[in-house]
């Protein structure tokens, strides 16, 4: 790709990415009402809904291998288009599903789609930003803008979804399908930073060899192992909470439209606070991630304790919602900060492999945590489930804080040469 084409690629991708991220980071018009849709319209047991999420994580493990080869074969742009097309199919399957098997099949499609997207989306942005001292900050700013706007738009959609659901349960999921189609169309406007060559078998073999070498590097890197482990396990806890929190409020017979209003407000808060991720990073540095998860864990514990008393004293429901507000505030910072740290010291040779490794382990841990969460919910009250999951989150945070202390958040010169071998800014830092 000549220099002029590179400039055109960077301008278009950097301009288009926040719009794409806003509409395509996750499903819009779907969450909150999807739990109600499955339990009330499709008559699926709440514990089975949590179990379905575990199947999503399980398929994420299995689908990560084909996802990797899809990305290597199709390239960034076409992989993103394919993934968004799979999300359209997912919506259709959920909409017309008649039993648990159909829903599990749908989760397989969704896990493959997001296995591709969660690897290619940040990699495409990372490769579209020109090398400079400020590349990490530019990446964080563009990525955060898309995530922040997603939270705000999703908040409006969540409120509307609640009212639409009361009219007809199929309206929210239909709107979600329409937006997913729009996202697929937007993804066709990207320019692939890499030229995919699939003419010669020898080149395909070299790609496989390069893939092996990349994963060997990741397994040797203490920094990446710590970040990937933290990201994978913490994502599992956060994912479970998305279902637990709705189930907790539904346990108090909160109507669908009020549920949607509550989570819409929470989404807006996440979107606004996400803009503070750079300030949070500057304040806490290598303690940033553990500080975030510790606060999230404490809010889960407090919500569980409040829920125990809320059956007798309704005033405690207000305190539960306050804990949700705090959790969503810090969750808004968590996602862009994690992707920023994972993309540091990487280039086009290694970035997709880093996110693939993260997604693979995230699927494993998501499946394990999801099965535990489903097991608990099927046997004890949701209040005690929240309390137990909060305690597990705090224990994990304490262990990771000790493990990450000497491995993450160091200055570039404090890492070994092997750790920063893919850092494209080494030459710039010397100058």
């Amino acid at each position: 790709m000549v220099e002029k084409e590179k400039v055109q690629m960077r301008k278009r991708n950097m301009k288009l990415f926040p719009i794409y991220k806003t509409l395509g980071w996750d499903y819009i018009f779907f969450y909150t009402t999807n739990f109600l849709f499955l339990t009330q319209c499709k008559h699926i047991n709440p514990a089975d809904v949590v179990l379905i999420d575990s199947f999503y994580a399980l398929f994420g493990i299995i689908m990560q291998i084909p996802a990797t080869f899809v990305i290597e074969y199709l390239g960034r742009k076409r992989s993103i288009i394919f993934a968004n097309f799979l999300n359209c199919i997912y919506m259709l399957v959920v909409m017309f599903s008649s039993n648990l098997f159909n829903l599990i099949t749908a989760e397989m499609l969704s896990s493959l789609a997001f296995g591709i997207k969660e690897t290619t989306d940040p990699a495409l942005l990372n490769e579209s930003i020109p090398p400079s001292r400020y590349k990490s900050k530019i990446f964080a700013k563009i990525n955060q803008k898309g995530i922040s706007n997603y939270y705000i738009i999703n908040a409006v959609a969540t409120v509307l979804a609640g009212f639409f659901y009361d009219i007809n349960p199929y309206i929210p999921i239909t709107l979600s399908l329409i937006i997913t189609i729009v996202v697929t169309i937007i993804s066709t406007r990207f320019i692939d930073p890499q030229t995919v060559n699939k003419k010669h078998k020898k080149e395909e073999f070299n790609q496989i060899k390069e893939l092996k070498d990349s994963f060997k590097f990741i397994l040797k890197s203490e920094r990446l192992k710590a970040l990937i482990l933290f990201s994978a396990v913490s994502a599992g806890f956060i994912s479970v909470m998305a279902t637990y929190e709705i189930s907790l409020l539904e346990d108090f017979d909160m109507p669908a439209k009020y549920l949607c209003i509550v989570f819409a407000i929470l989404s807006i808060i996440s979107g606004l606070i996400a803009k503070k991720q750079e300030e949070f990073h500057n304040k806490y540095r290598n303690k940033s991630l553990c500080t975030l998860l510790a606060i999230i864990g404490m809010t889960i514990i407090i919500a569980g304790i409040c829920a125990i008393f809320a059956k007798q004293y309704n005033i405690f429901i207000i305190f539960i919602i306050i804990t949700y507000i705090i959790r969503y505030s810090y969750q808004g910072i968590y996602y862009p900060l994690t992707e920023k740290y994972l993309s540091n010291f990487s280039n086009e040779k290694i970035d997709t492999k880093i996110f693939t490794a993260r997604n693979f382990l995230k699927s494993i841990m998501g499946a394990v945590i999801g099965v535990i969460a489903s097991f608990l919910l099927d046997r004890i009250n949701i209040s005690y489930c929240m309390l137990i999951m909060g305690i597990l989150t705090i224990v994990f945070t304490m262990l990771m804080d000790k493990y990450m202390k000497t491995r993450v958040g160091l200055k570039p010169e404090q890492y070994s040469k092997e750790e920063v071998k893919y850092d494209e800014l080494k030459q710039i830092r010397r100058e």
Side-chain angles (χ1 to χ4, degrees), residues 110-125:
S110 183
S111 66
L112 177 58
F114 279 101
I116 296 170
K117 279 171 64 69
E118 289 174 3
T119 297
T120 51
D121 289 1
L124 183 138
L125 175 59

Side-chain angles (χ1 to χ4, degrees), residues 113-137:
F114 279 101
I116 296 170
K117 279 171 64 69
E118 289 174 3
T119 297
T120 51
D121 289 1
L124 183 138
L125 175 59
N126 190 49
E127 293 165 29
S128 299
I129 301 171
S132 75
R133 295 178 185 273
Y134 306 103
K135 180 174 181 177
S136 179
K137 289 185 178 181

